[in-house]
Amino acid sequence: MTIGVVVFPGSNCDRDVRWATEGCLGFPTRFLWHETKDLTGLDAVVLPGGFSYGDYLRCGAIARFAPVLQSLVDFVDKGGKVLGICNGFQVLTELGLLPGALTRNRDLHFICKDVDLKVASHRTSWLAGRQIGEELTLPIAHGEGCYQCSEDTLRKLEDEDSIALRYVDNPNGSLSDIAGITNYKGNVLGLMPHPERACDPLIGGIDGRRILQALIDS
Amino acid sequence: MPNFQASVLVSLRPSVLDPAGEAARSAANRLGVEGIKSLRIGKAISLELDAPDEAEARRRVELLADRLLANPVIEDWSLELECLPK
C-alpha cells in the first residue's frame, strides 16, 4: 500500500501531495524522481501540479518523454492507479493516457480560487458511491486549464461515461465544463482542481480527501 | 553529409480558441491599425540537421513536428526545408 509521487524539475505540488497522502491520510508515500524507471511496490502514482520542465513548448510536452513516464504506461496497462493533478493532467493528455488537451484559459488569467464542482460520473472508483450532481469544492490554480478536444472525442467521453467532474461555473472556457476525466478502464483520473489542497479542515475544506483515498481503495 | 535548414510553423487549429491572439487583435485596433479581421498566434521553430538526403531530412523533421513540436489535438504544422550550401 504505497503511493508514488513523481517529481519533475519544476513540479511544485509534489510535497503538498505527500503531505496530504501521508500526513492527512496515513498512506506510505515516496517520491519518484523523473529519471527513475522503477515503479515496483507501488499501488498508485500521482503526477503533481507545477511547471514540469518549465512548461517549455507546451505544458507537459517535455515531461512526456521522462523515463518515469515510459514505465508509467506499463503501470497503467497493468491496472495501476494514476492521478494527474493540474500539470499532471496536462502531462497525461500529452502522453496520450487521456484524450484532449489543456490550453490557455479563456480570459488569459491565471486563476487561483476555490471552485464548485459537480460529480458527472460515479462509474469509476475515484468517485464511487457519490450521487450524480453531488457538489464538492476544490481549489484551482492554473493558467492553462481550458479543456479542448474534437467533437468525436467529446462524444466518446460522454458515451463511455468518462467525464468525472464538471465545473458548476466554468472558470476557464473548458469544453462542456469539463474539470476532470478518466480513461475508459477507470484507473486513470486527470483533473485541474487540487484535491491535495483540500484535505485538512484547517485550510478550508476536506473535499479532496475522498479522491486521494481512492488511490488506495479499489 | 548534407546539412539542412528546417523551419516548422506550428499554428492552433482553426477550431481551437486563441484568447492570446484575440487580445493581440484588440490591441491592434487600439494601435489604430484598421482592418485586422483575425490574428492567431503560433510558434516558429528553426533547426539545422545533417541527413544523407532531402527525403530523409524531411522524414526526421516530420516525425519531430508530429511527435514533439506540435500537439495534433490542438495544433497544425507546416514545414519548410532547404539544403544549405557546403
Side-chain angles (χ1 to χ4, degrees):
Chain A
M1 193 188 80
T2 303
I3 294 170
V5 180
V6 174
V7 182
F8 297 109
S11 294
N12 65 8
C13 299
D14 42 344
R15 278 168 287 181
D16 288 8
V17 171
R18 187 170 184 171
W19 170 80
T21 55
E22 202 164 53
C24 297
L25 297 172
F27 301 145
T29 301
R30 73 170 203 253
F31 288 132
L32 302 167
W33 185 237
H34 64 121
E35 284 172 346
T36 187
K37 287 184 172 174
D38 181 15
L39 303 182
T40 51
L42 296 173
D43 299 275
V45 173
V46 181
L47 302 180
F51 301 84
S52 54
Y53 302 90
D55 276 354
Y56 296 153
L57 202 57
R58 293 178 308 279
C59 304
I62 313 284
R64 180 187 142 198
F65 294 97
V68 69
L69 294 190
Q70 307 316 307
S71 304
L72 193 76
V73 173
D74 294 337
F75 183 79
V76 167
D77 278 346
K78 289 177 187 149
K81 290 189 109 173
V82 173
L83 173 64
I85 302 167
C86 199
N87 191 228
F89 185 14
Q90 294 162 342
V91 172
L92 288 173
T93 61
E94 282 283 340
L95 192 59
L97 286 177
L98 293 174
L102 293 139
T103 60
R104 288 287 284 277
N105 291 346
R106 178 183 46 204
D107 298 325
L108 292 172
H109 297 125
F110 187 97
I111 309 169
C112 184
K113 65 174 186 182
D114 288 351
V115 294
D116 294 329
L117 302 158
K118 269 189 196 168
V119 174
S121 166
H122 53 193
R123 178 177 70 83
T124 68
S125 60
W126 302 102
L127 297 164
R130 301 193 191 232
Q131 301 297 312
I132 299 296
E134 185 180 327
E135 292 198 12
L136 57 160
T137 304
L138 294 176
I140 56 168
H142 60 248
E144 306 196 32
C146 176
Y147 183 80
Q148 304 205 41
C149 66
S150 68
E151 279 179 30
D152 287 349
T153 301
L154 180 62
R155 203 170 307 121
K156 190 157 181 270
L157 283 171
E158 283 169 345
D159 290 349
E160 294 181 348
D161 194 20
S162 291
I163 300 171
L165 290 166
R166 284 194 162 95
Y167 299 108
V168 172
D169 185 12
N170 191 338
N172 55 25
S174 285
L175 192 65
S176 191
D177 303 327
I178 287 174
I181 57 174
T182 61
N183 60 348
Y184 178 60
K185 202 164 154 189
N187 57 331
V188 179
L189 169 67
L191 79 172
M192 289 313 294
H194 287 267
E196 81 281 13
R197 297 188 191 179
C199 287
D200 185 326
L202 270 180
I203 57 168
I206 55 165
D207 283 357
R209 275 186 175 228
R210 279 173 71 184
I211 293 174
L212 296 184
Q213 189 85 41
L215 287 165
I216 293 294
D217 301 344
S218 51
Chain B
M1 197 174 284
N3 186 224
F4 296 87
Q5 167 89 49
S7 172
V8 179
L9 280 179
V10 178
S11 54
L12 281 173
R13 295 176 76 151
S15 58
V16 173
L17 291 173
D18 180 15
E22 194 49 40
R25 191 185 66 86
S26 79
N29 289 345
R30 284 193 207 117
L31 179 65
V33 177
E34 291 171 8
I36 310 280
K37 285 191 189 154
S38 83
L39 191 163
R40 295 180 61 84
I41 297 176
K43 296 183 192 100
I45 296 122
S46 312
L47 54 143
E48 250 188 77
L49 74 159
D50 292 331
D53 55 49
E54 183 171 337
E56 177 59 17
R58 184 170 296 276
R59 193 193 68 80
R60 290 183 192 174
V61 182
E62 283 178 352
L63 179 72
L64 191 68
D66 212 44
R67 300 282 304 279
L68 174 65
L69 302 179
N71 176 348
V73 175
I74 46 168
E75 293 167 327
D76 292 324
W77 55 268
S78 62
L79 163 65
E80 282 174 22
L81 187 71
E82 73 175 301
C83 190
L84 294 173
K86 289 206 169 167

